[in-house]
């Protein structure tokens, strides 16, 4: 919640500096990062709310049982919904994207890697649903090429240790509730 009150300029600086941690260099200039951050925070957030509502209706019509995850999974690990099985246990971590989304893993590395990290800790699959003309299409690890799978798996395991520790704590608290 505290991070949600941070200004766009400050957030841009944080994202810019995070490149060193993730890419080991500054891959993009500050203006590009600002545009990306603006698009993610302002534009996609507005689109995301309507896309998520549309997904809920679509999932219900397609007998996919879902619930909202803990806020931190949505905010930090791109998990918009949890798919449940008949026993109400988590079947998959779901990320919901607008129709502008594609499975270009280079462009959306953070989404794939965050979901892969979740999966590596829990042994629970992830799914990305993105809007299309007929409702939603799905991307799973199995739908990716071997090269894409290897890249995502490698980057997912390279998340910082503190993020893994934080995530394990969140997952453990979900199991007990």
């Amino acid at each position: 919640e505290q991070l949600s009150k941070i200004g766009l300029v400050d957030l841009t600086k944080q994202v810019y500096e995070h490149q060193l941690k993730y890419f080991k260099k500054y891959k993009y200039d500050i203006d590009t990062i600002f545009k990306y951050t603006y698009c993610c925070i302002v534009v996609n957030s507005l689109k995301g709310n309507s896309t998520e509502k549309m997904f809920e209706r679509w999932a219900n019509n397609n007998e996919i049982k879902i619930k909202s995850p803990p806020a931190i999974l949505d905010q930090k690990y791109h998990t918009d919904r949890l798919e449940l099985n008949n026993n109400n246990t988590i079947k998959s971590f779901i990320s919901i994207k607008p129709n502008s989304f594609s499975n270009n893993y280079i462009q959306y590395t953070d989404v794939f890697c965050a979901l892969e990290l979740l999966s590596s800790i829990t042994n629970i699959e992830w799914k990305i649903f993105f809007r299309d003309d007929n409702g939603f299409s799905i991307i799973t690890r199995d739908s990716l090429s071997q090269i894409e799978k290897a890249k995502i798996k490698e980057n997912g395991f390279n998340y910082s240790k503190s993020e893994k520790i934080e995530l394990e704590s969140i997952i453990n608290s979900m199991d007990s509730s």
Side-chain angles (χ1 to χ4, degrees), residues 76-77 113 116-118 120-121 153-172:
K76 200 166 178 182
Y77 298 98
C113 291
E116 187 63 31
L117 177 61
L118 278 167
S120 72
I121 290 171
K153 189 169 189 153
E154 173 190 338
N155 289 335
F157 285 125
N158 287 336
Y159 259 54
S160 76
K161 289 184 190 234
S162 63
E163 288 172 335
K164 286 182 182 179
I165 291 167
E166 175 189 51
L167 187 54
E168 287 170 343
S169 172
I170 293 165
I171 297 298
N172 289 337

PDB file of all heavy atoms in Angstrom, residues 76-77 113 116-118 120-121 153-172:
ATOM      1  N   LYS A  76       2.928  -7.370  -7.042  1.00  0.00           N
ATOM      2  CA  LYS A  76       4.351  -7.622  -7.288  1.00  0.00           C
ATOM      3  C   LYS A  76       4.634  -8.822  -8.184  1.00  0.00           C
ATOM      4  O   LYS A  76       5.686  -8.887  -8.804  1.00  0.00           O
ATOM      5  CB  LYS A  76       5.042  -7.809  -5.940  1.00  0.00           C
ATOM      6  CG  LYS A  76       6.516  -7.609  -5.971  1.00  0.00           C
ATOM      7  CD  LYS A  76       7.068  -7.476  -4.581  1.00  0.00           C
ATOM      8  CE  LYS A  76       8.566  -7.317  -4.639  1.00  0.00           C
ATOM      9  NZ  LYS A  76       9.158  -7.222  -3.317  1.00  0.00           N
ATOM     10  N   TYR A  77       3.699  -9.770  -8.254  1.00  0.00           N
ATOM     11  CA  TYR A  77       3.966 -11.015  -8.973  1.00  0.00           C
ATOM     12  C   TYR A  77       2.974 -11.277 -10.101  1.00  0.00           C
ATOM     13  O   TYR A  77       2.819 -12.416 -10.536  1.00  0.00           O
ATOM     14  CB  TYR A  77       4.012 -12.190  -7.981  1.00  0.00           C
ATOM     15  CG  TYR A  77       5.134 -12.018  -6.982  1.00  0.00           C
ATOM     16  CD1 TYR A  77       4.890 -11.496  -5.720  1.00  0.00           C
ATOM     17  CD2 TYR A  77       6.441 -12.329  -7.324  1.00  0.00           C
ATOM     18  CE1 TYR A  77       5.925 -11.316  -4.810  1.00  0.00           C
ATOM     19  CE2 TYR A  77       7.480 -12.145  -6.425  1.00  0.00           C
ATOM     20  CZ  TYR A  77       7.210 -11.632  -5.168  1.00  0.00           C
ATOM     21  OH  TYR A  77       8.239 -11.448  -4.277  1.00  0.00           O
ATOM     22  N   CYS A 113       8.494 -14.120 -15.673  1.00  0.00           N
ATOM     23  CA  CYS A 113       9.434 -14.514 -14.625  1.00  0.00           C
ATOM     24  C   CYS A 113       8.799 -14.521 -13.245  1.00  0.00           C
ATOM     25  O   CYS A 113       9.094 -15.400 -12.432  1.00  0.00           O
ATOM     26  CB  CYS A 113      10.667 -13.618 -14.653  1.00  0.00           C
ATOM     27  SG  CYS A 113      11.657 -13.913 -16.133  1.00  0.00           S
ATOM     28  N   GLU A 116       6.755 -17.605 -13.151  1.00  0.00           N
ATOM     29  CA  GLU A 116       7.644 -18.772 -13.100  1.00  0.00           C
ATOM     30  C   GLU A 116       8.226 -18.947 -11.697  1.00  0.00           C
ATOM     31  O   GLU A 116       8.357 -20.067 -11.205  1.00  0.00           O
ATOM     32  CB  GLU A 116       8.765 -18.640 -14.132  1.00  0.00           C
ATOM     33  CG  GLU A 116       9.640 -19.864 -14.261  1.00  0.00           C
ATOM     34  CD  GLU A 116       8.906 -21.110 -14.737  1.00  0.00           C
ATOM     35  OE1 GLU A 116       7.925 -21.003 -15.496  1.00  0.00           O
ATOM     36  OE2 GLU A 116       9.319 -22.220 -14.342  1.00  0.00           O
ATOM     37  N   LEU A 117       8.550 -17.843 -11.050  1.00  0.00           N
ATOM     38  CA  LEU A 117       9.049 -17.921  -9.680  1.00  0.00           C
ATOM     39  C   LEU A 117       7.980 -18.521  -8.762  1.00  0.00           C
ATOM     40  O   LEU A 117       8.270 -19.424  -7.962  1.00  0.00           O
ATOM     41  CB  LEU A 117       9.470 -16.540  -9.175  1.00  0.00           C
ATOM     42  CG  LEU A 117       9.945 -16.475  -7.726  1.00  0.00           C
ATOM     43  CD1 LEU A 117      11.181 -17.348  -7.512  1.00  0.00           C
ATOM     44  CD2 LEU A 117      10.246 -15.038  -7.341  1.00  0.00           C
ATOM     45  N   LEU A 118       6.754 -18.048  -8.882  1.00  0.00           N
ATOM     46  CA  LEU A 118       5.648 -18.616  -8.104  1.00  0.00           C
ATOM     47  C   LEU A 118       5.541 -20.125  -8.326  1.00  0.00           C
ATOM     48  O   LEU A 118       5.418 -20.908  -7.387  1.00  0.00           O
ATOM     49  CB  LEU A 118       4.326 -17.972  -8.515  1.00  0.00           C
ATOM     50  CG  LEU A 118       3.970 -16.638  -7.912  1.00  0.00           C
ATOM     51  CD1 LEU A 118       2.809 -16.011  -8.663  1.00  0.00           C
ATOM     52  CD2 LEU A 118       3.637 -16.781  -6.444  1.00  0.00           C
ATOM     53  N   SER A 120       7.831 -22.208  -9.460  1.00  0.00           N
ATOM     54  CA  SER A 120       8.995 -22.962  -9.001  1.00  0.00           C
ATOM     55  C   SER A 120       8.955 -23.205  -7.495  1.00  0.00           C
ATOM     56  O   SER A 120       9.437 -24.215  -7.012  1.00  0.00           O
ATOM     57  CB  SER A 120      10.294 -22.249  -9.394  1.00  0.00           C
ATOM     58  OG  SER A 120      10.490 -21.088  -8.616  1.00  0.00           O
ATOM     59  N   ILE A 121       8.351 -22.294  -6.749  1.00  0.00           N
ATOM     60  CA  ILE A 121       8.257 -22.437  -5.300  1.00  0.00           C
ATOM     61  C   ILE A 121       7.103 -23.364  -4.906  1.00  0.00           C
ATOM     62  O   ILE A 121       7.216 -24.130  -3.948  1.00  0.00           O
ATOM     63  CB  ILE A 121       8.091 -21.048  -4.641  1.00  0.00           C
ATOM     64  CG1 ILE A 121       9.396 -20.259  -4.781  1.00  0.00           C
ATOM     65  CG2 ILE A 121       7.684 -21.162  -3.175  1.00  0.00           C
ATOM     66  CD1 ILE A 121       9.289 -18.813  -4.361  1.00  0.00           C
ATOM     67  N   LYS A 153      12.557 -19.733 -17.492  1.00  0.00           N
ATOM     68  CA  LYS A 153      12.957 -20.508 -16.310  1.00  0.00           C
ATOM     69  C   LYS A 153      14.243 -19.935 -15.719  1.00  0.00           C
ATOM     70  O   LYS A 153      14.345 -19.738 -14.504  1.00  0.00           O
ATOM     71  CB  LYS A 153      13.134 -21.975 -16.681  1.00  0.00           C
ATOM     72  CG  LYS A 153      13.324 -22.863 -15.495  1.00  0.00           C
ATOM     73  CD  LYS A 153      13.221 -24.321 -15.885  1.00  0.00           C
ATOM     74  CE  LYS A 153      13.189 -25.145 -14.618  1.00  0.00           C
ATOM     75  NZ  LYS A 153      12.514 -26.388 -14.779  1.00  0.00           N
ATOM     76  N   GLU A 154      15.210 -19.635 -16.565  1.00  0.00           N
ATOM     77  CA  GLU A 154      16.477 -19.067 -16.105  1.00  0.00           C
ATOM     78  C   GLU A 154      16.250 -17.727 -15.408  1.00  0.00           C
ATOM     79  O   GLU A 154      16.730 -17.494 -14.299  1.00  0.00           O
ATOM     80  CB  GLU A 154      17.421 -18.860 -17.296  1.00  0.00           C
ATOM     81  CG  GLU A 154      18.695 -18.129 -16.956  1.00  0.00           C
ATOM     82  CD  GLU A 154      19.487 -17.737 -18.198  1.00  0.00           C
ATOM     83  OE1 GLU A 154      19.293 -18.368 -19.260  1.00  0.00           O
ATOM     84  OE2 GLU A 154      20.286 -16.789 -18.102  1.00  0.00           O
ATOM     85  N   ASN A 155      15.484 -16.847 -16.027  1.00  0.00           N
ATOM     86  CA  ASN A 155      15.223 -15.536 -15.431  1.00  0.00           C
ATOM     87  C   ASN A 155      14.356 -15.633 -14.180  1.00  0.00           C
ATOM     88  O   ASN A 155      14.537 -14.856 -13.242  1.00  0.00           O
ATOM     89  CB  ASN A 155      14.578 -14.594 -16.449  1.00  0.00           C
ATOM     90  CG  ASN A 155      15.556 -14.162 -17.518  1.00  0.00           C
ATOM     91  OD1 ASN A 155      16.756 -14.151 -17.299  1.00  0.00           O
ATOM     92  ND2 ASN A 155      15.044 -13.821 -18.672  1.00  0.00           N
ATOM     93  N   GLY A 156      13.430 -16.572 -14.163  1.00  0.00           N
ATOM     94  CA  GLY A 156      12.605 -16.774 -12.980  1.00  0.00           C
ATOM     95  C   GLY A 156      13.428 -17.192 -11.781  1.00  0.00           C
ATOM     96  O   GLY A 156      13.207 -16.745 -10.658  1.00  0.00           O
ATOM     97  N   PHE A 157      14.421 -18.042 -12.006  1.00  0.00           N
ATOM     98  CA  PHE A 157      15.285 -18.476 -10.910  1.00  0.00           C
ATOM     99  C   PHE A 157      16.278 -17.405 -10.501  1.00  0.00           C
ATOM    100  O   PHE A 157      16.850 -17.459  -9.421  1.00  0.00           O
ATOM    101  CB  PHE A 157      16.023 -19.761 -11.274  1.00  0.00           C
ATOM    102  CG  PHE A 157      15.148 -20.981 -11.224  1.00  0.00           C
ATOM    103  CD1 PHE A 157      15.033 -21.809 -12.318  1.00  0.00           C
ATOM    104  CD2 PHE A 157      14.434 -21.300 -10.072  1.00  0.00           C
ATOM    105  CE1 PHE A 157      14.222 -22.935 -12.263  1.00  0.00           C
ATOM    106  CE2 PHE A 157      13.625 -22.422 -10.018  1.00  0.00           C
ATOM    107  CZ  PHE A 157      13.520 -23.242 -11.120  1.00  0.00           C
ATOM    108  N   ASN A 158      16.496 -16.425 -11.363  1.00  0.00           N
ATOM    109  CA  ASN A 158      17.450 -15.365 -11.056  1.00  0.00           C
ATOM    110  C   ASN A 158      16.838 -14.186 -10.310  1.00  0.00           C
ATOM    111  O   ASN A 158      17.501 -13.193 -10.096  1.00  0.00           O
ATOM    112  CB  ASN A 158      18.126 -14.861 -12.345  1.00  0.00           C
ATOM    113  CG  ASN A 158      19.114 -15.875 -12.881  1.00  0.00           C
ATOM    114  OD1 ASN A 158      19.630 -16.699 -12.145  1.00  0.00           O
ATOM    115  ND2 ASN A 158      19.359 -15.840 -14.171  1.00  0.00           N
ATOM    116  N   TYR A 159      15.567 -14.285  -9.929  1.00  0.00           N
ATOM    117  CA  TYR A 159      14.978 -13.241  -9.097  1.00  0.00           C
ATOM    118  C   TYR A 159      15.813 -13.152  -7.822  1.00  0.00           C
ATOM    119  O   TYR A 159      16.428 -14.132  -7.396  1.00  0.00           O
ATOM    120  CB  TYR A 159      13.530 -13.605  -8.737  1.00  0.00           C
ATOM    121  CG  TYR A 159      12.482 -12.896  -9.555  1.00  0.00           C
ATOM    122  CD1 TYR A 159      12.500 -12.938 -10.937  1.00  0.00           C
ATOM    123  CD2 TYR A 159      11.462 -12.197  -8.947  1.00  0.00           C
ATOM    124  CE1 TYR A 159      11.528 -12.309 -11.684  1.00  0.00           C
ATOM    125  CE2 TYR A 159      10.483 -11.563  -9.683  1.00  0.00           C
ATOM    126  CZ  TYR A 159      10.530 -11.627 -11.055  1.00  0.00           C
ATOM    127  OH  TYR A 159       9.568 -10.993 -11.777  1.00  0.00           O
ATOM    128  N   SER A 160      15.823 -12.019  -7.224  1.00  0.00           N
ATOM    129  CA  SER A 160      16.662 -11.849  -6.031  1.00  0.00           C
ATOM    130  C   SER A 160      16.216 -12.766  -4.899  1.00  0.00           C
ATOM    131  O   SER A 160      15.050 -13.136  -4.804  1.00  0.00           O
ATOM    132  CB  SER A 160      16.632 -10.397  -5.562  1.00  0.00           C
ATOM    133  OG  SER A 160      15.415 -10.131  -4.909  1.00  0.00           O
ATOM    134  N   LYS A 161      17.167 -13.128  -4.048  1.00  0.00           N
ATOM    135  CA  LYS A 161      16.868 -14.007  -2.913  1.00  0.00           C
ATOM    136  C   LYS A 161      15.819 -13.397  -1.990  1.00  0.00           C
ATOM    137  O   LYS A 161      14.981 -14.102  -1.455  1.00  0.00           O
ATOM    138  CB  LYS A 161      18.145 -14.312  -2.140  1.00  0.00           C
ATOM    139  CG  LYS A 161      19.072 -15.224  -2.886  1.00  0.00           C
ATOM    140  CD  LYS A 161      20.276 -15.577  -2.041  1.00  0.00           C
ATOM    141  CE  LYS A 161      21.255 -16.268  -2.912  1.00  0.00           C
ATOM    142  NZ  LYS A 161      21.791 -17.429  -2.683  1.00  0.00           N
ATOM    143  N   SER A 162      15.868 -12.077  -1.804  1.00  0.00           N
ATOM    144  CA  SER A 162      14.894 -11.453  -0.907  1.00  0.00           C
ATOM    145  C   SER A 162      13.478 -11.610  -1.452  1.00  0.00           C
ATOM    146  O   SER A 162      12.534 -11.799  -0.686  1.00  0.00           O
ATOM    147  CB  SER A 162      15.219  -9.978  -0.690  1.00  0.00           C
ATOM    148  OG  SER A 162      15.121  -9.260  -1.906  1.00  0.00           O
ATOM    149  N   GLU A 163      13.306 -11.539  -2.787  1.00  0.00           N
ATOM    150  CA  GLU A 163      11.978 -11.737  -3.371  1.00  0.00           C
ATOM    151  C   GLU A 163      11.527 -13.184  -3.181  1.00  0.00           C
ATOM    152  O   GLU A 163      10.359 -13.440  -2.908  1.00  0.00           O
ATOM    153  CB  GLU A 163      11.967 -11.343  -4.844  1.00  0.00           C
ATOM    154  CG  GLU A 163      12.048  -9.839  -5.029  1.00  0.00           C
ATOM    155  CD  GLU A 163      12.228  -9.417  -6.480  1.00  0.00           C
ATOM    156  OE1 GLU A 163      12.739 -10.208  -7.287  1.00  0.00           O
ATOM    157  OE2 GLU A 163      11.861  -8.283  -6.781  1.00  0.00           O
ATOM    158  N   LYS A 164      12.434 -14.139  -3.307  1.00  0.00           N
ATOM    159  CA  LYS A 164      12.081 -15.545  -3.092  1.00  0.00           C
ATOM    160  C   LYS A 164      11.674 -15.778  -1.645  1.00  0.00           C
ATOM    161  O   LYS A 164      10.681 -16.457  -1.381  1.00  0.00           O
ATOM    162  CB  LYS A 164      13.262 -16.457  -3.456  1.00  0.00           C
ATOM    163  CG  LYS A 164      13.493 -16.587  -4.941  1.00  0.00           C
ATOM    164  CD  LYS A 164      14.627 -17.536  -5.228  1.00  0.00           C
ATOM    165  CE  LYS A 164      14.884 -17.620  -6.709  1.00  0.00           C
ATOM    166  NZ  LYS A 164      15.990 -18.511  -7.043  1.00  0.00           N
ATOM    167  N   ILE A 165      12.420 -15.205  -0.719  1.00  0.00           N
ATOM    168  CA  ILE A 165      12.105 -15.368   0.702  1.00  0.00           C
ATOM    169  C   ILE A 165      10.745 -14.736   1.012  1.00  0.00           C
ATOM    170  O   ILE A 165       9.915 -15.343   1.690  1.00  0.00           O
ATOM    171  CB  ILE A 165      13.220 -14.760   1.580  1.00  0.00           C
ATOM    172  CG1 ILE A 165      14.492 -15.614   1.438  1.00  0.00           C
ATOM    173  CG2 ILE A 165      12.786 -14.648   3.036  1.00  0.00           C
ATOM    174  CD1 ILE A 165      15.738 -14.965   1.999  1.00  0.00           C
ATOM    175  N   GLU A 166      10.522 -13.529   0.490  1.00  0.00           N
ATOM    176  CA  GLU A 166       9.232 -12.862   0.702  1.00  0.00           C
ATOM    177  C   GLU A 166       8.095 -13.704   0.144  1.00  0.00           C
ATOM    178  O   GLU A 166       7.069 -13.902   0.794  1.00  0.00           O
ATOM    179  CB  GLU A 166       9.237 -11.488   0.040  1.00  0.00           C
ATOM    180  CG  GLU A 166       7.882 -10.793   0.114  1.00  0.00           C
ATOM    181  CD  GLU A 166       7.801  -9.533  -0.724  1.00  0.00           C
ATOM    182  OE1 GLU A 166       8.142  -9.587  -1.930  1.00  0.00           O
ATOM    183  OE2 GLU A 166       7.382  -8.512  -0.171  1.00  0.00           O
ATOM    184  N   LEU A 167       8.276 -14.210  -1.057  1.00  0.00           N
ATOM    185  CA  LEU A 167       7.228 -14.981  -1.718  1.00  0.00           C
ATOM    186  C   LEU A 167       6.955 -16.291  -0.976  1.00  0.00           C
ATOM    187  O   LEU A 167       5.799 -16.680  -0.812  1.00  0.00           O
ATOM    188  CB  LEU A 167       7.607 -15.250  -3.171  1.00  0.00           C
ATOM    189  CG  LEU A 167       6.557 -15.897  -4.033  1.00  0.00           C
ATOM    190  CD1 LEU A 167       5.255 -15.113  -3.980  1.00  0.00           C
ATOM    191  CD2 LEU A 167       7.041 -15.984  -5.469  1.00  0.00           C
ATOM    192  N   GLU A 168       7.989 -16.970  -0.521  1.00  0.00           N
ATOM    193  CA  GLU A 168       7.787 -18.204   0.236  1.00  0.00           C
ATOM    194  C   GLU A 168       6.965 -17.930   1.492  1.00  0.00           C
ATOM    195  O   GLU A 168       6.087 -18.714   1.860  1.00  0.00           O
ATOM    196  CB  GLU A 168       9.133 -18.845   0.574  1.00  0.00           C
ATOM    197  CG  GLU A 168       9.781 -19.485  -0.644  1.00  0.00           C
ATOM    198  CD  GLU A 168      11.217 -19.921  -0.424  1.00  0.00           C
ATOM    199  OE1 GLU A 168      11.861 -19.458   0.556  1.00  0.00           O
ATOM    200  OE2 GLU A 168      11.696 -20.724  -1.239  1.00  0.00           O
ATOM    201  N   SER A 169       7.228 -16.804   2.144  1.00  0.00           N
ATOM    202  CA  SER A 169       6.469 -16.423   3.335  1.00  0.00           C
ATOM    203  C   SER A 169       4.994 -16.190   2.984  1.00  0.00           C
ATOM    204  O   SER A 169       4.093 -16.620   3.716  1.00  0.00           O
ATOM    205  CB  SER A 169       7.080 -15.159   3.944  1.00  0.00           C
ATOM    206  OG  SER A 169       6.272 -14.665   4.959  1.00  0.00           O
ATOM    207  N   ILE A 170       4.735 -15.519   1.867  1.00  0.00           N
ATOM    208  CA  ILE A 170       3.355 -15.258   1.429  1.00  0.00           C
ATOM    209  C   ILE A 170       2.645 -16.572   1.130  1.00  0.00           C
ATOM    210  O   ILE A 170       1.512 -16.796   1.563  1.00  0.00           O
ATOM    211  CB  ILE A 170       3.348 -14.347   0.184  1.00  0.00           C
ATOM    212  CG1 ILE A 170       3.869 -12.955   0.544  1.00  0.00           C
ATOM    213  CG2 ILE A 170       1.944 -14.266  -0.425  1.00  0.00           C
ATOM    214  CD1 ILE A 170       4.243 -12.122  -0.660  1.00  0.00           C
ATOM    215  N   ILE A 171       3.312 -17.442   0.396  1.00  0.00           N
ATOM    216  CA  ILE A 171       2.723 -18.738   0.017  1.00  0.00           C
ATOM    217  C   ILE A 171       2.420 -19.553   1.274  1.00  0.00           C
ATOM    218  O   ILE A 171       1.342 -20.133   1.402  1.00  0.00           O
ATOM    219  CB  ILE A 171       3.648 -19.523  -0.936  1.00  0.00           C
ATOM    220  CG1 ILE A 171       3.835 -18.761  -2.250  1.00  0.00           C
ATOM    221  CG2 ILE A 171       3.139 -20.934  -1.167  1.00  0.00           C
ATOM    222  CD1 ILE A 171       2.592 -18.534  -3.051  1.00  0.00           C
ATOM    223  N   ASN A 172       3.358 -19.571   2.209  1.00  0.00           N
ATOM    224  CA  ASN A 172       3.130 -20.322   3.459  1.00  0.00           C
ATOM    225  C   ASN A 172       1.946 -19.765   4.235  1.00  0.00           C
ATOM    226  O   ASN A 172       1.183 -20.529   4.819  1.00  0.00           O
ATOM    227  CB  ASN A 172       4.391 -20.321   4.328  1.00  0.00           C
ATOM    228  CG  ASN A 172       5.475 -21.189   3.737  1.00  0.00           C
ATOM    229  OD1 ASN A 172       5.206 -22.107   2.953  1.00  0.00           O
ATOM    230  ND2 ASN A 172       6.722 -20.905   4.070  1.00  0.00           N
TER     231      ASN A 172
END
